[in-house]
Amino acid sequence: MSCGSPLTTHGWPILSSPVGGIPPGRTASLQLWVMLSIASRAGIFGGRLGRQRQGVSPLPHIVLVALRAQSLPLLCSFSKFDGSRLETLQSAELRDSDIRAQILAAPINPSDINMVQGTYPILPDLPAIGGNEGVGQVMDVGSKVTNLKPGDWVIPSDAGLGTWRTEAVGNMNGFIKVPNNIPLLCAATLGVNPCTAYRMLSDFETLKPGDSVIQNAANSGVGQATIQIAKAMGLKTINVIRNRPDLQQLTDSLMSLGADYVITEEALRKPEMKELFKKVPRPRLALNGVGGKSATEILRHLEKGGTIVTYGGMAKQPITVPVSALIFNNVKICGFWVTQWKLDHGHGVQYKENILAIVCRQLNMGMMSMPSTEVDNQFSLICSTSQDHSLEK
């Protein structure tokens, strides 16, 4: 659980926690937990964790399941939902090889929601704490811990830690140290999106400066990371977004990150695309985070022998591949899941550390910036302390 003002990254909140956490023995009354707002907004709780009992709303049950493993003493009141209350739980015992970290910020990714729904390939044993990503500050270490010390910033090395809480205790090998001189929100979102973007740009096609990449979901976390990492590699990006009232504002935002071209999905189907490819070579790589017609359209613009890599399916629609693209253009269709990539490479922590070093170096050199965020008062929480961590440095 976190307190303070949650922030959103294009609709998905980032929860931030005050430094020092909630002192032992203190209680916090929470106005409305962010997961409940997301649930009511998206209507998602019909799955594994949210089975509705006859005549009983599933929402209080979800809150209890998600937070009953809370590791800090915390008392939460949800008077708006049948008066359900959570018990005060004691902090977990610190073993010799464990660290205790206060969670400073944790995002809510679509994959987190899929895990709550019970549709994600990796599912925790219940009861469980949600959240696969975030950044924490080491508060205490066991007697056998030599690679971390109090004050260090850490992120989970793998999915399943459960970052939607104020404190986490776990084996030192389950955490990776990250620099504490980068913006907090960058640190909180390092573990998934930048790693995914970097590997997709590196692993599927041999790209050289001047080559182009096309992607949909360009304003997503992966999309923003792709724009910035591609820019650092000397690649041109063609970025596809949905039409919307604030189209120009979003376009300007992506261009400020380094996007070369920003177009709508409707523009993909227009003859004017031929004019675009007089300015920039046809892409050898397409990155798909949407699926459905959007994926089909970016696939049509690939160079012969190019590759489309699917890492997400926000449209929840299958990808239709034209026969001509396979026969005459020899287009390759691949998928990418960063969790599986780490498992396939065995020494996942070491590989991830190498990627993070590259990304953090780009952050410190000003070649990457923090995710675009905004304060969403809908998710405001009332905390027992007013001390807050700086979200920017």
Short mmCIF file of all heavy atoms in Angstrom, two decimals, residues 53 66 116 255:
data_model
loop_
_atom_site.label_atom_id
_atom_site.label_comp_id
_atom_site.label_asym_id
_atom_site.label_seq_id
_atom_site.Cartn_x
_atom_site.Cartn_y
_atom_site.Cartn_z
N ARG A 53 -19.57 -13.45 -5.06
CA ARG A 53 -20.49 -14.33 -4.35
C ARG A 53 -21.92 -13.84 -4.55
O ARG A 53 -22.15 -12.65 -4.73
CB ARG A 53 -20.14 -14.34 -2.85
CG ARG A 53 -18.80 -14.99 -2.56
CD ARG A 53 -18.38 -14.70 -1.14
NE ARG A 53 -18.04 -13.30 -0.98
CZ ARG A 53 -17.82 -12.73 0.19
NH1 ARG A 53 -17.92 -13.43 1.29
NH2 ARG A 53 -17.50 -11.44 0.25
N ALA A 66 -6.05 -8.50 -1.66
CA ALA A 66 -4.87 -7.80 -2.12
C ALA A 66 -4.02 -7.28 -0.98
O ALA A 66 -2.81 -7.15 -1.12
CB ALA A 66 -5.28 -6.64 -3.03
N VAL A 116 -4.52 -9.73 -11.59
CA VAL A 116 -5.68 -9.67 -10.72
C VAL A 116 -6.86 -10.41 -11.35
O VAL A 116 -7.62 -11.12 -10.68
CB VAL A 116 -6.06 -8.21 -10.42
CG1 VAL A 116 -7.38 -8.13 -9.66
CG2 VAL A 116 -4.96 -7.53 -9.61
N MET A 255 7.04 14.17 -29.63
CA MET A 255 8.12 14.78 -30.40
C MET A 255 9.21 15.32 -29.48
O MET A 255 10.40 15.25 -29.79
CB MET A 255 7.57 15.91 -31.27
CG MET A 255 6.58 15.45 -32.34
SD MET A 255 7.32 14.47 -33.67
CE MET A 255 8.09 15.77 -34.65
#
